[in-house]
Amino acid sequence: MEQFGDLDRLMLLYAGMIHTSQVWEAGISRQHFHTYVKKRGLIQVTPSIFVTAEECVDPFYLIHLRCIHAVFSHETALYLHGLLHQEPECRHVTVERSCNPSYL
């Protein structure tokens, strides 16, 4: 299918990770995308982000993709700056009041 070629190019462009908004912007229908997901064995890591089975997903990057206004804070910020050697049990972010953090 020609649309599979378009989706393959998008997956290469975005290093094996694709957001559904990128698919819709490319003009690819939901039906073709869902067929592609099944045929290629993509894994849904969030409601709108899919990755290839070989892709190692960075959880910090996923948080960033889901809420671009979130800023890592507290122990998470210390860990990311190399000031803590053990990854915190939970990830802390700070968001402005107008941001809806319910989908984090």
Side-chain angles (χ1 to χ4, degrees):
M1 276 187 142
E2 184 176 311
Q3 284 193 340
F4 274 23
D6 292 341
L7 284 164
D8 285 336
R9 283 188 285 283
L10 282 174
M11 290 299 286
L12 282 173
L13 180 65
Y14 295 108
M17 181 182 297
I18 195 164
H19 196 284
T20 52
S21 64
Q22 297 163 330
V23 175
W24 313 151
E25 287 173 11
I28 298 167
S29 72
R30 290 179 190 266
Q31 179 183 6
H32 287 291
F33 178 64
H34 290 298
T35 303
Y36 179 81
V37 167
K38 287 180 184 178
K39 296 272 187 192
R40 295 289 196 258
L42 298 184
I43 299 168
Q44 186 174 8
V45 292
T46 71
S48 58
I49 299 173
F50 293 80
V51 298
T52 61
E54 303 83 32
E55 186 66 30
C56 180
V57 180
D58 180 5
F60 297 103
Y61 184 59
L62 287 177
I63 291 170
H64 166 71
L65 289 176
R66 294 189 73 187
C67 185
I68 60 171
H69 300 288
V71 176
F72 292 107
S73 58
H74 301 81
E75 291 89 3
T76 305
L78 292 172
Y79 172 73
L80 292 172
H81 285 283
L83 299 172
L84 282 180
H85 300 293
Q86 185 175 2
E87 186 174 344
E89 288 183 25
C90 61
R91 293 170 185 89
H92 294 91
V93 296
T94 301
V95 293
E96 57 185 281
R97 290 182 187 258
S98 63
C99 183
N100 180 6
S102 63
Y103 53 84
L104 284 176

